[in-house]
């Protein structure tokens, strides 16, 4: 008698049944690991050597933001962040300290050349530009982007007595 060998279908291993909560938790753990990897890659990313420095010098404060060519902010600083309070925030010295703080951080990340865009009529306009240059960042051009009102709103009607 010849024995017939039966073709047996391979037995599939069944995955353990997970509840909905377990499935959500495992998906959250996977996404958290992916986010951690992205954060590592993001911190190691090189910054473009050229960018834009935005200086906003108002009568009460001075803000400096240094961004890459696309507009993503690399470093920023303000008079309040530098430790100035009250009327000292609007001084030229405060603007110098603020600009140096922001420029040092950007220089450490690879920024070597900026285009300056100024806004406002505060006391720290020129001193902020000089402070950026003193850190070692080359200033290619300076633009004044202060908004100017063109005729404004329609005036109120004349009062009749």
């Amino acid at each position: 008698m010849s024995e017939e060998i039966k073709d047996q279908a391979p037995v599939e291993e069944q995955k353990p049944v997970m509840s909905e909560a377990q499935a959500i938790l495992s998906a959250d753990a996977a996404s958290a690991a992916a986010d951690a990897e992205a954060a590592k890659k993001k911190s190691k990313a090189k910054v473009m050597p050229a960018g834009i420095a935005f200086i906003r010098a108002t009568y009460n404060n001075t803000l400096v933001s240094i961004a890459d060519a696309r507009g993503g902010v690399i470093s920023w600083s303000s008079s309040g962040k530098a430790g100035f309070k009250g009327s000292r925030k609007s001084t030229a010295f405060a603007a110098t300290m603020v600009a140096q703080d922001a420029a040092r951080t950007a220089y450490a990340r690879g920024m070597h050349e900026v285009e300056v865009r100024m806004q406002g009529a505060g006391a720290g306009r020129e001193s902020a530009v000089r402070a950026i240059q003193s850190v070692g960042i080359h200033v290619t051009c300076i633009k004044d982007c202060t908004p100017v009102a063109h005729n404004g709103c329609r005036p109120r009607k004349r009062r009749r007595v």
Side-chain angles (χ1 to χ4, degrees), residues 63-83:
L63 298 120
V64 177
S65 301
I66 299 178
D68 58 8
R70 287 181 159 182
V73 175
I74 294 163
S75 66
W76 69 275
S77 189
S78 69
S79 297
K81 184 181 174 188

Side-chain angles (χ1 to χ4, degrees), residues 23-67:
I24 291 170
L25 286 174
S26 64
D28 285 345
S31 66
D35 289 343
E37 272 186 47
K40 285 180 185 176
K41 288 181 183 177
K42 196 173 193 179
S43 64
K44 291 181 182 178
K46 281 283 186 180
V47 174
M48 304 283 268
I52 307 165
F54 296 95
I55 299 171
R56 184 170 183 143
T58 64
Y59 290 120
N60 296 319
N61 204 350
T62 303
L63 298 120
V64 177
S65 301
I66 299 178

Side-chain angles (χ1 to χ4, degrees), residues 52-55 63-66 75 95-104 106-107 111-118 124-140 142:
I52 307 165
F54 296 95
I55 299 171
L63 298 120
V64 177
S65 301
I66 299 178
S75 66
T96 303
M97 301 308 288
V98 166
Q100 280 181 349
D101 181 33
R104 280 191 192 115
Y107 190 79
M111 184 74 62
H112 296 291
E113 189 175 292
V114 293
E115 171 185 320
V116 175
R117 294 187 187 170
M118 278 195 234
R125 290 166 56 97
E126 288 81 16
S127 61
V129 175
R130 287 199 180 100
I132 290 171
Q133 287 176 330
S134 71
V135 170
I137 296 177
H138 179 67
V139 175
T140 56
I142 301 170

